[in-house]
Amino acid sequence: MKRLFLFILFIAILYIAKPYWEEPVSKYIDISFLEPVDEKINTILNKDTLGTAMHYISDMTDKVILYLSPKSADEEEPSGTIEKPLLEQPVNTTISIHNIELGSSEEKVEAELGEPKSQSMNEYGTEWQTFHEGYHNFVMVAFDEKRKVNAVYTNDDLISSNVGIRYGSLKSTVRETFGEPIKEIRKGLNIYILQESDGFDVFKSGDTYTYVFYDLHQNDKVTAIQLISTSLEKKKTGIYTGGDASLRNGFEQQLFDLTNAIRVRHGLNSLEWDDAVSGTARRHSADMANNDYFNHKNKQGKSPFDRMKDDGVKFHGAGENLAYGQSSSIFAHEGLMNSAGHRENILDDYSHLGTGVAFNEKLQPYYTENFLLK
């Protein structure tokens, strides 16, 4: 492994130094055969990314590391003694989550899940009610005006279906079962083209939109599912919705909960909320949204760790994840988990977390996660 790393490092140095040796070498050797390599490398370097991740190790030199190759984070059984519920086959729909289907009554949800741990505004103009047991058996549920379930999400092993799809199913199996994912969603007179992504598929069947998320680091296995009723989807008139304080607060809460749920799923501790660093995160999101940039360093050249220290945040180690433009915290979180450096931060040895969200004039959200080790 060490030799492979050194070889890759050597190639990278050669490529970076190419402007200095290309001209003299080309006088003696035809190096046109490198043009396809140049094109491929430039494509990789210029490819739009979800965001960037930074990690800080507290020592005398204030060392900042950009993680490109994180440590392995293999799937683990959740720790503790929380039992997985007995899953039943859905009765009225194709897929159920924790025995909850679209159309289930509020009484059914209460009997199955108990009391919600929190409620938060979502992008559909309704509320996610969040259920979990120390972030085990994690489910989010929304209701329509008749108190029937019109949306449900999980990133836990709580998926049951009468077509064989479950948590951990392969993407190829999902597509063999449901067919090709849809390419667009119509809302009134508008047609929204869905961006192609390796990380998720959207399927439309009857009155249900099924969003299936895959873990690209676990052989494209199903890692989460979101079910949305057609009636609720139609109420959302655009890709982005209002950027008011209630939605900002909702996205921040959901990003925090989703991070803890996936950490527990990987056998790690859940993180404690930190008000101070949440303020740091929110201010950075607002600064990026208001000043039209996307970077760990702000316009004054301050790093996330400089901003934390300016805000009086104490830490032994810290990290920051950024995301931009995803229509909800669910999409932001699932995308971060499929990006190596971001995944490293989410699954690293931290103790506290603060999240901050802000919207630009186009209502596009900016997401900041600040992780702390205290």
Side-chain angles (χ1 to χ4, degrees), residues 20 35 49 54 86 114-115 126 145 159 177 194 210 235 273 285 299 331-332 358:
Y20 300 99
E35 291 178 2
T49 60
M54 294 186 74
L86 179 63
E115 292 293 321
T126 184
E145 60 278 2
I159 302 163
T177 302
L194 298 176
T210 301
K235 288 182 180 179
W273 178 263
S285 287
K299 295 289 188 178
F331 283 91

Side-chain angles (χ1 to χ4, degrees), residues 235-255:
K235 288 182 180 179
K236 186 179 171 210
T237 57
I239 296 299
Y240 303 110
T241 53
D244 59 13
S246 60
L247 186 60
R248 177 201 65 197
N249 294 341
F251 278 0
E252 290 175 352
Q253 178 69 53
Q254 292 149 30
L255 196 57

Side-chain angles (χ1 to χ4, degrees), residues 52 54 284 288 293-298 307 320 322:
T52 51
M54 294 186 74
H284 187 57
M288 291 189 293
Y293 74 96
F294 184 61
N295 202 301
H296 288 289
K297 287 192 174 181
N298 62 19
R307 297 191 297 273
E320 179 173 273
L322 302 179

Side-chain angles (χ1 to χ4, degrees), residues 19 52 79 132 206 214 297 310 339 347 355 368:
T52 51
S79 59
H132 58 85
Y214 306 106
K297 287 192 174 181
D310 288 347
S339 176
L347 301 179
T355 60
T368 301

Side-chain angles (χ1 to χ4, degrees), residues 208-320:
T208 302
Y209 284 92
T210 301
Y211 293 78
V212 183
F213 299 91
Y214 306 106
D215 189 335
L216 305 186
H217 297 268
Q218 293 288 330
N219 302 316
D220 294 353
K221 292 180 179 179
V222 173
T223 190
I225 280 185
Q226 177 179 247
L227 306 175
I228 304 290
S229 70
T230 299
S231 59
L232 181 60
E233 189 67 58
K234 286 181 177 178
K235 288 182 180 179
K236 186 179 171 210
T237 57
I239 296 299
Y240 303 110
T241 53
D244 59 13
S246 60
L247 186 60
R248 177 201 65 197
N249 294 341
F251 278 0
E252 290 175 352
Q253 178 69 53
Q254 292 149 30
L255 196 57
F256 177 78
D257 288 338
L258 291 162
T259 299
N260 272 335
I262 200 63
R263 283 178 62 86
V264 168
R265 185 69 198 154
H266 282 258
L268 303 171
N269 62 291
S270 60
L271 303 176
E272 294 183 36
W273 178 263
D274 188 283
D275 277 328
V277 85
S278 176
T280 305
R282 181 184 288 178
R283 283 187 286 275
H284 187 57
S285 287
D287 190 38
M288 291 189 293
N290 295 333
N291 294 292
D292 192 26
Y293 74 96
F294 184 61
N295 202 301
H296 288 289
K297 287 192 174 181
N298 62 19
K299 295 289 188 178
Q300 291 72 46
K302 290 191 173 184
S303 74
F305 320 115
D306 296 327
R307 297 191 297 273
M308 291 177 198
K309 291 177 180 178
D310 288 347
D311 291 339
V313 177
K314 305 293 185 182
F315 56 90
H316 295 293
E320 179 173 273

Side-chain angles (χ1 to χ4, degrees), residues 5 13 46 73 80 95 98 100 103 123 127 139 145 165 183 186 189 216 218 225 254 257 267 279 282 300 314 316 322:
F5 172 77
I13 293 172
N46 293 324
I95 296 177
H98 205 307
I100 303 300
E123 70 276 18
E127 288 186 334
V139 182
E145 60 278 2
I165 301 302
K183 306 296 184 184
R186 295 175 179 267
L189 298 177
L216 305 186
Q218 293 288 330
I225 280 185
Q254 292 149 30
D257 288 338
R282 181 184 288 178
Q300 291 72 46
K314 305 293 185 182
H316 295 293
L322 302 179

Side-chain angles (χ1 to χ4, degrees), residues 170-181 197 201 203 214:
L170 295 175
K171 179 196 285 190
S172 57
T173 302
V174 174
R175 289 188 172 185
E176 287 171 5
T177 302
F178 291 120
E180 285 298 309
S197 170
D201 284 330
F203 303 94
Y214 306 106

